[in-house]
Amino acid sequence: LVLHEDTRKIYMNEPTKKLRFQTAIMPHIDSAFNLARWLTRGHQDAEDIVQESYLSAYNYFDGFRGEDGRVWLLGIVRNTFYTWYQKGKVNNQHTQYEEELHSLNEVADEPNSSNPERILIQKDSQRLLQQAMRELPIEFREVMVMRELENLSYKQIAEIIQIPIGTVMSRIGRGRKQLAAILTEKNGSAK
Amino acid sequence: MNHQEAIILLPAYVDKELSLSESVDLEMHLNSCDECKREYDEQLQMSILIKNMARNYEPTQEFIQNLGMKLSLEPNKVQPIKLPKRFMELNWFNTWGNKGLVFASFLAIVWSTSLFLTLPTAQEKFTEELVASHVRSLEVDHLSDVISTDQHTVKPWFIGKLDYSPPIVDLASIDYPIEGGRLDYINSKAVAVVVYRHNKHPINLYIWPSNNKESDMQEVTKNGYKLVHWVTDYMSYWAISDLDSEKLLAFSRSIEVRVKESQKS
């Protein structure tokens, strides 16, 4: 909240559209990419969506009145993704976990995990969770990412998706339950 | 609140999105409903699990620079904000090396009925419980059962309610006055809580017996609250507050020093 107020002040003081865009929207590129990457299967798709989102964001920027820049941008990222998705442009059929596998080498690189056996088990469970999240239907996956990874409030999520707050609540609740069910099932089949 | 309403509102309760009155209503139901308790546990555990083990993807620097160029922005100004996205990430992990514990809770979910059930989710659950207890004490306006700024009133109040006598230290002289005391239940055990206040910020100090004689001071951040833990003379102390860590550490050291002094005399 504090950050938002500050952003707004800085934003109001910037003289040109370009500078305003830079202060209000560019800093949220991490959030935009994270959401796009979780919605899509591949790094390239995510980059394409973020790029297109930023180009539209810049075009529509005259309509931005200094409200929550991250919410505004993530709404555009989401719309861009769904437009792609409906056109079948996104490589969503293509199931591949190579990147997930690859990424796990970075994740477990922590000074504390010096025990090789533990690293291995940890990597395994991280991969399991990663895959389970990927198996969630998109409408649940997106709220989980917004809530748990982006730490957005129900109100912010409601604004991004344009649904009532009550629907946000039930999707988050059901999303967590489904994820728990997928994990249990995965464990059963792994044995 | 009836069961149907409670079940619907549980996710929002876990996410601290409910109003004060809704939270209180829900807690009243939760205390008496096993199904809701299980549901609450599941929601909370999954939330913690995702926050700690799912991945945040980051764009490459090259991509950010290229995008800046496409929008013809000044390259040096295009920098993403690095916010601590996960609430437990920094202190919690680094200070305690706690990935293993989070991982243990992961196992508990996945292999919930098998041998992994006994793995220690203890520490994790425990701080969770402390924070929840702290938050509850603020929300339902139930900071103190005995209200007194006098250590000599607070100390005897605990006698007969606990099987140990918590050391009570007066810190009013350095602007941390005692407000009172209460009993709380942590890990299904009754424990002493001494309530202090510093510039309108309440501090809950939990005290109970420990098997260890002493320990160093450790600091944890959880859900935005600071927790400081240490052991002095077989008593375990946990201080929790929304104060900044410097002040809470200063408070904790003062308590520690005075407890030691009072033993000498």
Side-chain angles (χ1 to χ4, degrees):
Chain A
L1 214 70
V2 176
L3 182 89
H4 177 198
E5 273 310 300
D6 287 350
T7 319
R8 194 177 175 127
K9 265 180 225 152
I10 299 166
Y11 164 78
M12 294 307 240
N13 288 334
E14 292 295 355
T16 68
K17 176 178 176 180
K18 212 162 261 182
L19 284 173
R20 287 202 300 272
F21 190 79
Q22 253 175 225
T23 50
I25 307 301
M26 279 316 283
H28 303 298
I29 192 161
D30 272 8
S31 293
F33 186 82
N34 193 31
L35 178 63
R37 184 63 185 79
W38 269 110
L39 289 171
T40 58
R41 289 254 180 238
H43 188 89
Q44 187 58 50
D45 281 345
E47 283 192 348
D48 289 350
I49 282 167
V50 172
Q51 179 170 314
E52 193 170 319
S53 302
Y54 263 94
L55 295 174
S56 345
Y58 193 73
N59 286 336
Y60 295 129
F61 191 57
D62 292 330
F64 180 77
R65 292 278 166 263
E67 58 268 23
D68 191 334
R70 187 155 68 126
V71 165
W72 188 76
L73 177 68
L74 291 185
I76 296 177
V77 169
R78 204 182 152 272
N79 285 339
T80 309
F81 166 76
Y82 277 99
T83 312
W84 275 52
Y85 187 63
Q86 274 148 19
K87 282 189 204 151
K89 258 164 107 178
V90 173
N91 197 6
N92 230 28
Q93 264 58 41
H94 202 149
T95 316
Q96 48 166 240
Y97 292 111
E98 287 116 18
E99 256 192 85
E100 257 65 57
L101 287 168
H102 176 70
S103 69
L104 286 159
N105 297 329
E106 304 154 27
V107 177
D109 250 358
E110 309 255 332
N112 288 320
S113 17
S114 50
N115 177 344
E117 201 177 352
R118 206 171 97 184
I119 292 171
L120 214 67
I121 303 171
Q122 218 166 279
K123 268 193 203 173
D124 232 37
S125 59
Q126 278 179 318
R127 180 167 55 232
L128 215 58
L129 179 70
Q130 208 76 9
Q131 290 177 357
M133 286 273 284
R134 291 267 170 211
E135 283 177 28
L136 275 183
I138 284 176
E139 68 264 35
F140 294 108
R141 199 191 317 148
E142 65 179 4
V143 291
M144 298 321 278
V145 171
M146 288 183 217
R147 174 62 230 166
E148 310 290 20
L149 300 183
E150 291 301 325
N151 243 329
L152 290 159
S153 69
Y154 284 15
K155 186 162 170 284
Q156 287 173 312
I157 298 172
E159 241 180 280
I160 293 169
I161 309 186
Q162 299 281 307
I163 51 173
I165 288 187
T167 313
V168 174
M169 175 171 71
S170 77
R171 278 195 201 169
I172 287 174
R174 285 164 62 200
R176 288 188 186 131
K177 282 184 85 71
Q178 279 198 36
L179 197 65
I182 295 172
L183 283 171
T184 313
E185 191 189 317
K186 273 187 178 299
N187 177 55
S189 64
K191 268 185 187 166
Chain B
M1 183 176 293
N2 67 32
H3 177 69
Q4 204 50 43
E5 290 167 324
I7 277 277
I8 290 171
L9 289 177
L10 268 174
Y13 179 66
V14 171
D15 289 319
K16 302 190 172 50
E17 288 267 350
L18 291 183
S19 71
L20 178 55
S21 62
E22 284 172 320
S23 298
V24 174
D25 279 359
L26 193 138
E27 275 170 15
M28 275 165 61
H29 172 78
L30 193 59
N31 281 331
S32 62
C33 176
D34 287 342
E35 190 190 338
C36 282
K37 273 183 204 154
R38 275 195 302 276
E39 177 77 22
Y40 171 74
D41 279 348
E42 184 178 55
Q43 289 283 324
L44 186 65
Q45 293 215 27
M46 287 317 292
S47 173
I48 293 171
L49 186 67
I50 302 168
K51 279 187 165 77
N52 287 294
M53 295 198 84
R55 181 167 184 228
N56 273 313
Y57 295 99
E58 283 181 20
T60 62
Q61 274 308 311
E62 194 192 354
F63 173 70
I64 298 174
Q65 297 305 337
N66 284 343
L67 184 59
M69 265 159 28
K70 284 210 173 67
L71 293 160
S72 52
L73 304 173
E74 286 169 50
N76 58 339
K77 281 215 170 183
V78 183
Q79 277 303 325
I81 315 178
K82 298 288 179 197
L83 286 171
K85 278 180 188 164
R86 303 174 189 194
F87 71 100
M88 306 209 304
E89 195 165 62
L90 304 167
N91 289 326
W92 181 243
F93 268 0
N94 296 345
T95 328
W96 292 65
N98 227 348
K99 263 221 152 121
L101 287 165
V102 174
F103 167 62
S105 102
F106 175 84
L107 285 179
I109 294 164
V110 175
W111 285 273
S112 54
T113 50
S114 68
L115 68 157
F116 288 99
L117 191 65
T118 50
L119 271 178
T121 61
Q123 183 80 59
E124 167 67 23
K125 274 200 162 160
F126 182 66
T127 33
E128 194 78 44
E129 206 178 335
L130 276 174
V131 171
S133 155
H134 174 75
V135 171
R136 222 166 25 237
S137 77
L138 305 179
E139 278 177 349
V140 298
D141 199 18
H142 184 68
L143 271 172
S144 306
D145 290 326
V146 51
I147 298 168
S148 170
T149 54
D150 183 357
Q151 68 191 104
H152 303 295
T153 308
V154 175
K155 189 169 174 71
W157 183 82
F158 285 111
I159 296 172
K161 298 184 177 68
L162 296 166
D163 54 6
Y164 60 96
S165 174
I168 312 281
V169 178
D170 182 17
L171 290 181
S173 58
I174 57 164
D175 211 13
Y176 291 87
I178 290 181
E179 282 233 315
R182 72 169 189 280
L183 281 186
D184 219 318
Y185 287 86
I186 301 291
N187 242 345
S188 325
K189 282 196 198 93
V191 300
V193 188
V194 188
V195 186
Y196 291 83
R197 193 169 286 267
H198 181 70
N199 297 338
K200 293 187 179 164
H201 297 273
I203 305 167
N204 275 317
L205 181 65
Y206 295 77
I207 308 173
W208 61 80
S210 164
N211 294 327
N212 303 319
K213 184 167 193 308
E214 273 181 350
S215 82
D216 290 340
M217 231 169 236
Q218 282 169 309
E219 200 194 348
V220 188
T221 301
K222 185 134 180 111
N223 297 10
Y225 290 99
K226 300 277 185 261
L227 293 84
V228 177
H229 169 62
W230 74 97
V231 177
T232 304
D233 192 37
Y234 299 104
M235 282 284 169
S236 178
Y237 296 80
W238 284 87
I240 307 183
S241 175
D242 58 351
L243 277 174
D244 60 55
S245 61
E246 211 169 290
K247 284 189 176 143
L248 192 64
L249 277 170
F251 166 81
S252 305
R253 288 214 183 85
S254 310
I255 297 272
E256 189 188 26
V257 167
R258 305 226 176 171
V259 167
K260 282 183 179 162
E261 275 173 3
S262 70
Q263 283 160 357
K264 280 179 208 151
S265 60

